[in-house]
Amino acid sequence: MKPWRLSPHILLLLPAVLVLLAVVILPLILSFWSSLTPFRLTRPDSIYDFVGLRNYARLMGDGQFWSAFGRTVLLLTVALNLEMLLGLGLALLIERASRGQRILRTLLMFPMMFSPVLVGFQFKFMFNDNVGLVNNALQSLGLTNSAIPWLIDQHLAFFSIVVAEIWSSTSVFAIFILAGLMAMPRDPLEAARVDGCTPWQTFRFVTWPFLMPFAFIAMTIRSLDVARAYDIIKIMTDGGPARRTEVLWTLIARTGYADSKMGMANAMAYVAILLSILFTVIFFRKLAQSREQIAAEW
Amino acid sequence: MADLTLNRLDKRYGGFHAVKGIDLAVSDGEFVALVGPSGCGKSTTLRMIAGLEEISGGDILIGERLVNDLAPRQRNISMVFQSYALYPHMTVRENMGFTLKIAKRPQAEIDAAVAEAARALEIEPLLDRRPAQLSGGQRQRVAMGRAIVRSPDVFLFDEPLSNLDAKLRGQMRTEIKKLHARLGATVVYVTHDQVEAMTLADRIVIMRDGHIEQADTPDEVFNRPATRFVAGFIGSPPMNMIEAEVRGDRLRAPDGAELPLPQAFRDRVSEGQRVTFGLRPDDIYPTGHGLHAGTQVETRPLEVELTEPLGNETLLFIRFGGQEWTSRMLNPRHLRRGEVVEFQFDLSRAHLFDAESGLSLRDA
């Protein structure tokens, strides 16, 4: 009898398929399955109780979940826009520097070298109402006498988190936009000056359209980042006080590990991932559009 | 339209003196070409006129207006760049109308101006394309269209044809000439291509090392070059030149070869003076193959070292006075390498330059 053999192309693909299966597909199937059960970490047996879409149905009416969802979108919007404006400003300033530009570029990367957990701890200390740097400075300058509850007031806490996010990640925008500025041809800028543009008009009509794809790359990367925001918030406020800074992933982690409702947490995670996918698709479309606009060859 | 005046215009980059106080007056409607080797300051001069470079000294006047410290947008000029510098994200129509849009002109006026320029340049079918979808020649036309839409006081061209292939360059040259005839515009045109300068310009300004060597009509710079540099720069193949010393009524080359002193210069040199003798390839030819009927012709039998047939003419390379000379044979006959032929030197068309200063010894 002829021995049974795999054809070579299947054989060669097999390692990749097996690895993907083990580390991606299987966990995906497992987590999706568990989102259809009332799986609790404390009652392992519950993974076999199929309840259909009940977890998802409950989510739809869950106020806590939707406020976390909304807060995540808000954080995304506010942080990304501010980061882009600041990053753009930084990039424009650094590009003008004729000396020491390399050093400035290196310095720009510094905030990215710290773990978000450490950034969280640092800002938690700075915004502490008793011993924090911020209150200390404000009081020394005579701007206030009271201890401002930065991490306790709902709005101030959100603000503090935004500040920490911006500090740690503005450089992503700055670096991409700077790369765009450096790749930009000089001649259209000069043509614009001759054509009658003020410096602002040159920026608005010539520089910015060219930089847009670079900004959108940064946007895509950062939207994925912020949509899964966890570490900084976990450290600074842990979603508190009273869940007022709760975002999707702090809620999911709490539901899954603290309340051990893993089935529900997985259902939430699937909805959260939809959000990430949505933002990615939007920014990718924009990116493709703006690339086509400047006839980019990359 | 307006005239343009440069007074003692100066540019320094740190220790480097790029433009050394040049004077130039371009009259209304005149086409002036700035030519010279790389680094001679021609582009810098143009960019100073445009306002893209600050000036270190002197004055620039457009019409009666001193524009030294005005921004480019306040000078009412148009510029065509070597790289075309089109806005990649705008259509051809938007590119051309951009300057009027910035000037907040009514849309109807913009459309009319763009349509007219597009018609003149025959780019109407391209109006809705983006620059990336155009060929080099089409981009060049769009760049020119963008310049004429604005009806500026002065047109500035910065080597506009150097990115095109030879055939297209010839076409666009004609195109520019027609355009200038039609618009009657004041033009300053920078090029390193002497053919462009000769064919297009009313006046050619030859620059070297930041100063002007000669500014005159194409005919004058070709036939009466003011300096040895101009003589060598204008004309192709370049003028034959040889160092010589005045000995009575003869010129002696370092290797002892002699030629009679051209009559036109007889009273303008002194005994023993060191000079550069120059003669264009057109003025050395095998007997019977010349262009002009010379009044002082010297005949020498010389060996043909190399021939370059071009169809309507043949370039011959010969050795005389210790160096290689180029000769242009019109109505060519077949000549072999090594053949000895009678060559005529038309000394009535010769040039003499002072060996020290490089200035022409011809009466001014």
Side-chain angles (χ1 to χ4, degrees), chain A residues 226-271:
Chain A
V226 179
R228 58 160 205 233
Y230 177 73
D231 17 30
I232 288 182
I233 299 170
K234 172 73 185 167
I235 302 296
M236 283 179 75
T237 64
D238 197 10
R243 305 210 160 184
R244 282 183 192 134
T245 54
E246 192 91 286
V247 289
L248 277 175
W249 287 97
T250 54
L251 177 67
I252 293 167
R254 194 187 318 285
T255 310
Y257 301 118
D259 306 346
S260 74
K261 291 195 275 192
M262 201 41 103
M264 184 53 131
N266 274 329
M268 287 177 172
Y270 271 94
V271 177

Side-chain angles (χ1 to χ4, degrees), chain A residues 144-221:
Chain A
T144 179
N145 283 323
S146 56
I148 301 172
W150 289 107
L151 297 172
I152 296 161
D153 177 88
Q154 179 183 355
H155 301 295
L156 289 179
F158 185 77
F159 169 82
S160 308
I161 289 167
V162 169
V163 169
E165 275 289 344
I166 289 175
W167 182 84
S168 69
S169 302
T170 291
S171 41
V172 175
F173 278 92
I175 286 162
F176 274 99
I177 292 174
L178 190 59
L181 279 172
M182 289 165 70
M184 185 168 182
R186 300 283 105 185
D187 284 355
L189 295 178
E190 295 192 334
R193 287 172 66 192
V194 173
D195 270 350
C197 286
T198 59
W200 162 248
Q201 287 169 323
T202 307
F203 175 79
R204 164 76 185 73
F205 293 113
V206 184
T207 312
W208 178 240
F210 190 86
L211 293 181
M212 246 156 49
F214 295 87
F216 279 127
I217 294 175
M219 277 273 187
T220 315
I221 295 174

